[in-house]
């Protein structure tokens, strides 16, 4: 787990050869952060199956909210172990994978992608990149790899190793230098969740090309009064059945308790995001702990105060949405 993201230690720069590929895969299996080139842009990669590793991505990018991250796989066979592909999704995957298309599909029962990488959603965002170097790392790592763009949140996406280092040197473990990227634009994102494929983000594959494969027009997310399906767009979003009470000093009788930091006494029906007060650990535990408290059937869950700095901003963003009036 990464606790110190202000270290002055330089990020390791790996060459695009067998040794560099093996080292990148080794670091990813250890839960470390590695910037990788794809055909679109450089991605900030981590083990998607590890909530702690994914939390490290958010911390390094200073990402303000827990939006779902795209998980990268070496091929369609591996992707189908993580998600459920309807006829539209399967047609698109066969037409454009490997390539700059991300498909959002229902998570399979065998899905290993962590809840944090999925932002607590029942869906999963998947992509098979076409760059041989990225494919080699994914094969060697042997697990889904989450990889949003390798830049600090709000800054320009990185299309070279130099761009990555300008933003993230000393904040990540390594960058695999594969030279400048080919496409230079993020992947197109299409959701195939309910029979009507939706365009969530334009990108490296034009909408008309995608529509030609599925033989129908894509619904554009946000049009025609459609409720947004991307996280961070609704005031109350993916809330537990229980009411959520924030910035609590202690639970009231009958409430569940979601703590943070040292807890001075035993509290029934309680879980602690991080007894040590580590925001990276707290982020990795957030969705799982909320779910485990919610299944107890309690009327409400009291949540301890979470600091607003660093990852605390994103944790509080998600908690405020969970607590919003419904």
């Amino acid at each position: 787990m990464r606790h110190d993201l202000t270290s002055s230690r330089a990020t390791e720069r790996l060459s695009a050869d067998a040794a560099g590929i093996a080292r990148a895969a080794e670091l990813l299996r250890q839960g470390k952060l590695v910037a990788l080139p794809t055909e679109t842009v450089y991605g900030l990669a981590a083990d998607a199956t590890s909530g702690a590793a994914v939390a490290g991505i958010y911390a390094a990018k200073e990402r303000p909210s827990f939006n779902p991250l795209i998980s990268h796989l070496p091929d369609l066979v591996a992707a189908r172990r993580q998600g459920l592909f309807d006829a539209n999704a399967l047609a698109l995957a066969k037409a454009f994978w490997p390539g700059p298309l991300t498909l959002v599909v229902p998570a399979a029962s065998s899905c290993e992608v962590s809840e944090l990488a999925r932002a607590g959603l029942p869906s999963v965002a998947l992509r098979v990149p076409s760059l041989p170097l990225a494919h080699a790392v994914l094969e060697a790592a042997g697990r889904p790899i989450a990889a949003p763009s390798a830049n600090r949140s709000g800054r320009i996406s990185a299309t070279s190793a130099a761009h990555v280092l300008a933003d993230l040197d000393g904040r990540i473990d390594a960058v695999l230098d594969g030279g400048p990227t080919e496409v230079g634009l993020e992947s197109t994102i299409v959701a195939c969740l309910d029979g009507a494929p939706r365009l969530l983000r334009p990108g490296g594959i034009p909408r008309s090309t995608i529509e030609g494969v599925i033989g129908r027009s894509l619904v554009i997310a946000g049009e025609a009064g459609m409720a947004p399906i991307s996280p961070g767009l609704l005031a109350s979003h993916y809330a537990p059945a229980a009411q959520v009470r924030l910035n609590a000093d202690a639970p009231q009788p009958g409430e569940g308790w979601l703590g943070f930091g040292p807890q001075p006494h035993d509290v029934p029906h309680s879980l602690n995001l991080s007894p040590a007060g580590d925001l990276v650990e707290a982020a990795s535990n957030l969705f799982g702990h909320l779910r485990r408290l919610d299944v107890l059937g309690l009327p409400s869950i009291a949540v301890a105060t979470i600091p607003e700095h660093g990852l605390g901003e994103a944790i509080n963003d998600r908690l405020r949405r969970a607590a919003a009036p419904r």
Side-chain angles (χ1 to χ4, degrees):
M1 183 179 299
R2 298 176 61 82
H3 299 277
D4 180 10
L5 291 170
T6 61
S7 169
S8 60
R9 178 177 61 84
T11 295
E12 189 176 350
R13 192 161 184 164
L14 306 175
S15 299
D17 54 21
I21 291 167
R23 175 64 175 159
E26 175 189 21
L27 289 169
L28 290 169
R29 289 193 297 270
Q30 293 173 357
K32 307 294 187 180
L33 303 182
V34 180
L36 301 175
T38 73
E39 73 279 15
T40 56
V41 297
Y42 274 70
L44 182 51
D47 180 357
T49 70
S50 165
V54 170
I57 291 176
Y58 286 109
K61 286 177 63 70
E62 299 177 345
R63 194 162 176 147
S65 61
F66 294 135
N67 292 325
L69 302 180
I70 298 168
S71 291
H72 296 69
L73 288 308
D75 52 43
L76 176 57
V77 172
R80 294 185 78 174
R81 289 196 288 268
Q82 309 303 324
L84 301 175
F85 286 66
D86 64 12
N88 288 313
L90 196 57
L92 291 173
K94 289 180 177 179
F96 299 116
W97 279 357
L101 176 70
T102 294
L103 294 173
V104 179
V105 297
S109 59
S110 55
C111 183
E112 303 164 284
V113 177
S114 69
E115 289 203 64
L116 187 60
R118 294 189 286 123
L121 298 172
S123 55
V124 62
L126 303 172
R127 186 165 94 84
V128 177
S130 63
L131 187 73
L133 183 59
H135 181 271
V137 174
L138 294 171
E139 284 278 11
R143 63 199 65 190
I145 296 298
S149 57
N151 54 279
R152 295 203 200 186
S153 186
R155 297 192 184 176
I156 299 170
S157 296
T159 56
S160 72
H163 294 163
V164 173
L165 292 170
D167 256 12
L168 299 173
D169 194 11
R171 300 176 67 85
I172 64 176
D173 296 283
V175 57
L176 181 62
D177 189 351
T181 61
E182 178 184 350
V183 176
L185 182 69
E186 288 88 348
S187 62
T188 303
I189 302 180
V190 175
C192 296
L193 297 170
D194 56 8
R198 300 173 184 176
L199 179 67
L200 302 186
R201 182 181 75 185
I205 299 177
R207 185 204 318 180
S208 59
T209 305
I210 293 170
E211 291 174 340
V213 170
I214 58 176
R216 61 191 298 177
S217 297
L218 287 169
V219 175
I220 309 302
E223 284 189 351
M226 184 184 74
I229 60 173
S230 295
L233 300 180
L234 296 174
S236 176
H237 197 66
Y238 306 105
Q243 296 296 311
V244 176
R245 185 168 65 89
L246 303 180
N247 299 314
D249 294 323
Q252 296 172 354
E255 281 189 318
W257 174 247
L258 187 61
F260 177 80
Q263 197 159 290
H265 50 78
D266 290 334
V267 177
H269 310 305
S270 69
L271 291 171
N272 197 314
L273 291 170
S274 173
D278 183 330
L279 288 169
V280 173
E281 181 181 22
S284 70
N285 286 328
L286 177 61
F287 294 112
H289 279 16
L290 276 174
R291 285 178 185 271
R292 281 189 280 277
L293 287 173
D294 199 38
V295 299
L296 298 177
L298 302 167
S300 64
I301 299 168
V303 184
T305 299
I306 310 294
E308 276 286 349
H309 63 80
L311 279 183
E313 182 182 1
I315 294 169
N316 282 314
D317 171 80
R318 181 59 61 184
L319 287 170
R320 281 190 287 268
R321 296 178 190 280
R326 300 168 228 164

Short mmCIF file of all heavy atoms in Angstrom, two decimals, residues 194-229:
data_model
loop_
_atom_site.label_atom_id
_atom_site.label_comp_id
_atom_site.label_asym_id
_atom_site.label_seq_id
_atom_site.Cartn_x
_atom_site.Cartn_y
_atom_site.Cartn_z
N ASP A 194 -28.67 -2.43 -21.39
CA ASP A 194 -30.11 -2.68 -21.37
C ASP A 194 -30.71 -2.83 -22.76
O ASP A 194 -31.88 -2.55 -22.97
CB ASP A 194 -30.84 -1.57 -20.61
CG ASP A 194 -30.53 -0.19 -21.18
OD1 ASP A 194 -29.89 -0.13 -22.25
OD2 ASP A 194 -30.92 0.82 -20.56
N GLY A 195 -29.90 -3.26 -23.72
CA GLY A 195 -30.41 -3.48 -25.07
C GLY A 195 -30.29 -2.28 -25.99
O GLY A 195 -30.43 -2.42 -27.20
N ALA A 196 -30.07 -1.08 -25.44
CA ALA A 196 -29.93 0.12 -26.26
C ALA A 196 -28.53 0.69 -26.04
O ALA A 196 -28.32 1.42 -25.08
CB ALA A 196 -31.00 1.14 -25.88
N PRO A 197 -27.57 0.37 -26.90
CA PRO A 197 -26.20 0.84 -26.68
C PRO A 197 -26.14 2.37 -26.60
O PRO A 197 -26.79 3.07 -27.38
CB PRO A 197 -25.45 0.33 -27.91
CG PRO A 197 -26.25 -0.84 -28.39
CD PRO A 197 -27.67 -0.49 -28.10
N ARG A 198 -25.36 2.87 -25.65
CA ARG A 198 -25.29 4.31 -25.40
C ARG A 198 -23.85 4.79 -25.53
O ARG A 198 -22.94 4.15 -25.01
CB ARG A 198 -25.81 4.63 -23.99
CG ARG A 198 -27.25 4.23 -23.78
CD ARG A 198 -27.68 4.39 -22.33
NE ARG A 198 -29.03 3.90 -22.14
CZ ARG A 198 -29.65 3.84 -20.97
NH1 ARG A 198 -29.02 4.24 -19.87
NH2 ARG A 198 -30.88 3.39 -20.89
N LEU A 199 -23.70 5.92 -26.16
CA LEU A 199 -22.38 6.53 -26.26
C LEU A 199 -22.15 7.38 -25.02
O LEU A 199 -22.83 8.38 -24.81
CB LEU A 199 -22.31 7.40 -27.53
CG LEU A 199 -20.98 8.13 -27.75
CD1 LEU A 199 -19.86 7.14 -28.04
CD2 LEU A 199 -21.12 9.14 -28.89
N LEU A 200 -21.18 6.96 -24.22
CA LEU A 200 -20.84 7.70 -23.01
C LEU A 200 -19.73 8.71 -23.23
O LEU A 200 -19.67 9.73 -22.55
CB LEU A 200 -20.43 6.74 -21.88
CG LEU A 200 -21.45 5.69 -21.47
CD1 LEU A 200 -20.93 4.93 -20.25
CD2 LEU A 200 -22.80 6.31 -21.18
N ARG A 201 -18.82 8.41 -24.18
CA ARG A 201 -17.73 9.33 -24.46
C ARG A 201 -17.26 9.14 -25.89
O ARG A 201 -16.89 8.02 -26.28
CB ARG A 201 -16.56 9.08 -23.50
CG ARG A 201 -15.38 10.05 -23.70
CD ARG A 201 -14.24 9.75 -22.74
NE ARG A 201 -13.47 8.56 -23.11
CZ ARG A 201 -12.48 8.04 -22.38
NH1 ARG A 201 -12.16 8.60 -21.24
NH2 ARG A 201 -11.83 6.96 -22.80
N PRO A 202 -17.24 10.19 -26.71
CA PRO A 202 -16.62 10.07 -28.03
C PRO A 202 -15.13 9.84 -27.86
O PRO A 202 -14.53 10.25 -26.86
CB PRO A 202 -16.90 11.44 -28.68
CG PRO A 202 -17.95 12.08 -27.84
CD PRO A 202 -17.79 11.52 -26.46
N GLY A 203 -14.52 9.20 -28.84
CA GLY A 203 -13.09 8.93 -28.71
C GLY A 203 -12.49 8.45 -30.01
O GLY A 203 -12.83 8.95 -31.09
N GLY A 204 -11.60 7.47 -29.89
CA GLY A 204 -10.77 7.06 -31.02
C GLY A 204 -11.50 6.36 -32.15
O GLY A 204 -10.94 6.20 -33.23
N ILE A 205 -12.73 5.91 -31.94
CA ILE A 205 -13.53 5.29 -33.01
C ILE A 205 -14.77 6.15 -33.23
O ILE A 205 -15.54 6.38 -32.29
CB ILE A 205 -13.93 3.84 -32.65
CG1 ILE A 205 -12.68 2.98 -32.48
CG2 ILE A 205 -14.83 3.25 -33.73
CD1 ILE A 205 -12.96 1.56 -32.05
N PRO A 206 -15.02 6.65 -34.43
CA PRO A 206 -16.17 7.52 -34.67
C PRO A 206 -17.49 6.82 -34.39
O PRO A 206 -17.64 5.61 -34.57
CB PRO A 206 -16.04 7.87 -36.16
CG PRO A 206 -14.62 7.61 -36.51
CD PRO A 206 -14.19 6.47 -35.62
N ARG A 207 -18.48 7.63 -33.98
CA ARG A 207 -19.80 7.09 -33.69
C ARG A 207 -20.39 6.39 -34.91
O ARG A 207 -20.99 5.31 -34.80
CB ARG A 207 -20.74 8.21 -33.25
CG ARG A 207 -22.11 7.70 -32.81
CD ARG A 207 -23.22 8.73 -32.90
NE ARG A 207 -22.85 10.05 -32.44
CZ ARG A 207 -23.69 11.08 -32.46
NH1 ARG A 207 -24.93 10.92 -32.91
NH2 ARG A 207 -23.31 12.27 -32.04
N SER A 208 -20.23 6.99 -36.09
CA SER A 208 -20.82 6.41 -37.30
C SER A 208 -20.26 5.02 -37.60
O SER A 208 -20.99 4.13 -38.08
CB SER A 208 -20.59 7.33 -38.50
OG SER A 208 -19.19 7.54 -38.70
N THR A 209 -18.98 4.82 -37.30
CA THR A 209 -18.37 3.51 -37.53
C THR A 209 -18.97 2.46 -36.60
O THR A 209 -19.23 1.32 -36.99
CB THR A 209 -16.85 3.60 -37.33
OG1 THR A 209 -16.32 4.63 -38.16
CG2 THR A 209 -16.16 2.29 -37.66
N ILE A 210 -19.18 2.85 -35.35
CA ILE A 210 -19.79 1.94 -34.37
C ILE A 210 -21.23 1.62 -34.78
O ILE A 210 -21.68 0.46 -34.74
CB ILE A 210 -19.74 2.57 -32.97
CG1 ILE A 210 -18.28 2.67 -32.50
CG2 ILE A 210 -20.57 1.76 -31.97
CD1 ILE A 210 -18.09 3.48 -31.25
N GLU A 211 -21.97 2.65 -35.18
CA GLU A 211 -23.37 2.44 -35.58
C GLU A 211 -23.46 1.53 -36.79
O GLU A 211 -24.43 0.76 -36.93
CB GLU A 211 -24.01 3.79 -35.86
CG GLU A 211 -24.21 4.62 -34.59
CD GLU A 211 -24.72 6.03 -34.86
OE1 GLU A 211 -24.56 6.51 -36.00
OE2 GLU A 211 -25.26 6.65 -33.93
N GLY A 212 -22.46 1.58 -37.67
CA GLY A 212 -22.46 0.69 -38.83
C GLY A 212 -22.35 -0.77 -38.45
O GLY A 212 -22.90 -1.64 -39.15
N VAL A 213 -21.68 -1.08 -37.34
CA VAL A 213 -21.54 -2.46 -36.89
C VAL A 213 -22.81 -2.98 -36.26
O VAL A 213 -23.24 -4.11 -36.51
CB VAL A 213 -20.35 -2.59 -35.91
CG1 VAL A 213 -20.33 -3.96 -35.25
CG2 VAL A 213 -19.04 -2.34 -36.65
N ILE A 214 -23.45 -2.15 -35.41
CA ILE A 214 -24.63 -2.63 -34.69
C ILE A 214 -25.93 -2.39 -35.46
O ILE A 214 -26.99 -2.88 -35.06
CB ILE A 214 -24.73 -2.01 -33.29
CG1 ILE A 214 -24.79 -0.48 -33.37
CG2 ILE A 214 -23.56 -2.48 -32.43
CD1 ILE A 214 -24.97 0.19 -32.00
N GLY A 215 -25.86 -1.61 -36.57
CA GLY A 215 -27.03 -1.40 -37.39
C GLY A 215 -28.11 -0.56 -36.75
O GLY A 215 -29.30 -0.71 -37.08
N ARG A 216 -27.72 0.34 -35.87
CA ARG A 216 -28.69 1.22 -35.22
C ARG A 216 -27.96 2.45 -34.69
O ARG A 216 -26.74 2.44 -34.56
CB ARG A 216 -29.39 0.50 -34.06
CG ARG A 216 -28.43 0.05 -32.96
CD ARG A 216 -29.06 -0.87 -31.95
NE ARG A 216 -30.15 -0.23 -31.24
CZ ARG A 216 -30.90 -0.85 -30.34
NH1 ARG A 216 -30.70 -2.12 -30.07
NH2 ARG A 216 -31.85 -0.20 -29.71
N SER A 217 -28.73 3.49 -34.39
CA SER A 217 -28.13 4.69 -33.84
C SER A 217 -27.83 4.50 -32.36
O SER A 217 -28.59 3.85 -31.63
CB SER A 217 -29.08 5.88 -34.01
OG SER A 217 -29.31 6.15 -35.38
N LEU A 218 -26.71 5.04 -31.95
CA LEU A 218 -26.38 5.04 -30.53
C LEU A 218 -27.21 6.08 -29.80
O LEU A 218 -27.40 7.20 -30.29
CB LEU A 218 -24.90 5.36 -30.33
CG LEU A 218 -23.88 4.29 -30.70
CD1 LEU A 218 -22.48 4.89 -30.70
CD2 LEU A 218 -23.96 3.11 -29.75
N VAL A 219 -27.72 5.71 -28.63
CA VAL A 219 -28.32 6.70 -27.74
C VAL A 219 -27.17 7.51 -27.15
O VAL A 219 -26.14 6.96 -26.78
CB VAL A 219 -29.12 6.00 -26.62
CG1 VAL A 219 -29.65 7.02 -25.63
CG2 VAL A 219 -30.26 5.19 -27.22
N ILE A 220 -27.33 8.82 -27.07
CA ILE A 220 -26.30 9.67 -26.51
C ILE A 220 -26.62 9.90 -25.04
O ILE A 220 -27.71 10.36 -24.70
CB ILE A 220 -26.22 11.02 -27.25
CG1 ILE A 220 -26.11 10.79 -28.76
CG2 ILE A 220 -25.03 11.83 -26.74
CD1 ILE A 220 -24.93 9.94 -29.18
N ALA A 221 -25.70 9.55 -24.16
CA ALA A 221 -25.93 9.69 -22.72
C ALA A 221 -26.33 11.12 -22.39
O ALA A 221 -25.69 12.07 -22.81
CB ALA A 221 -24.67 9.29 -21.95
N GLY A 222 -27.44 11.25 -21.65
CA GLY A 222 -27.90 12.57 -21.24
C GLY A 222 -28.98 13.14 -22.14
O GLY A 222 -29.62 14.12 -21.78
N GLU A 223 -29.22 12.53 -23.32
CA GLU A 223 -30.25 13.04 -24.22
C GLU A 223 -31.63 12.53 -23.81
O GLU A 223 -31.78 11.52 -23.14
CB GLU A 223 -29.98 12.60 -25.66
CG GLU A 223 -28.86 13.37 -26.32
CD GLU A 223 -28.75 13.07 -27.80
OE1 GLU A 223 -29.44 12.15 -28.29
OE2 GLU A 223 -27.98 13.78 -28.45
N ALA A 224 -32.61 13.23 -24.25
CA ALA A 224 -34.02 12.82 -24.13
C ALA A 224 -34.41 12.51 -22.69
O ALA A 224 -35.21 11.63 -22.42
CB ALA A 224 -34.29 11.59 -25.02
N GLY A 225 -33.85 13.27 -21.74
CA GLY A 225 -34.23 13.10 -20.35
C GLY A 225 -33.74 11.83 -19.72
O GLY A 225 -34.16 11.47 -18.63
N MET A 226 -32.87 11.11 -20.40
CA MET A 226 -32.36 9.84 -19.87
C MET A 226 -31.54 10.10 -18.60
O MET A 226 -30.72 11.01 -18.56
CB MET A 226 -31.47 9.16 -20.91
CG MET A 226 -30.96 7.80 -20.51
SD MET A 226 -29.84 7.15 -21.77
CE MET A 226 -28.39 8.14 -21.52
N ALA A 227 -31.79 9.33 -17.57
CA ALA A 227 -31.01 9.48 -16.34
C ALA A 227 -29.56 9.16 -16.61
O ALA A 227 -29.25 8.17 -17.28
CB ALA A 227 -31.56 8.55 -15.26
N PRO A 228 -28.62 9.99 -16.14
CA PRO A 228 -27.21 9.70 -16.36
C PRO A 228 -26.81 8.38 -15.72
O PRO A 228 -27.27 8.05 -14.64
CB PRO A 228 -26.48 10.87 -15.70
CG PRO A 228 -27.52 11.85 -15.32
CD PRO A 228 -28.84 11.17 -15.35
N ILE A 229 -25.95 7.63 -16.41
CA ILE A 229 -25.50 6.36 -15.84
C ILE A 229 -24.04 6.41 -15.45
O ILE A 229 -23.52 5.45 -14.91
CB ILE A 229 -25.75 5.19 -16.81
CG1 ILE A 229 -25.00 5.40 -18.13
CG2 ILE A 229 -27.22 4.99 -17.06
CD1 ILE A 229 -25.08 4.20 -19.05
#
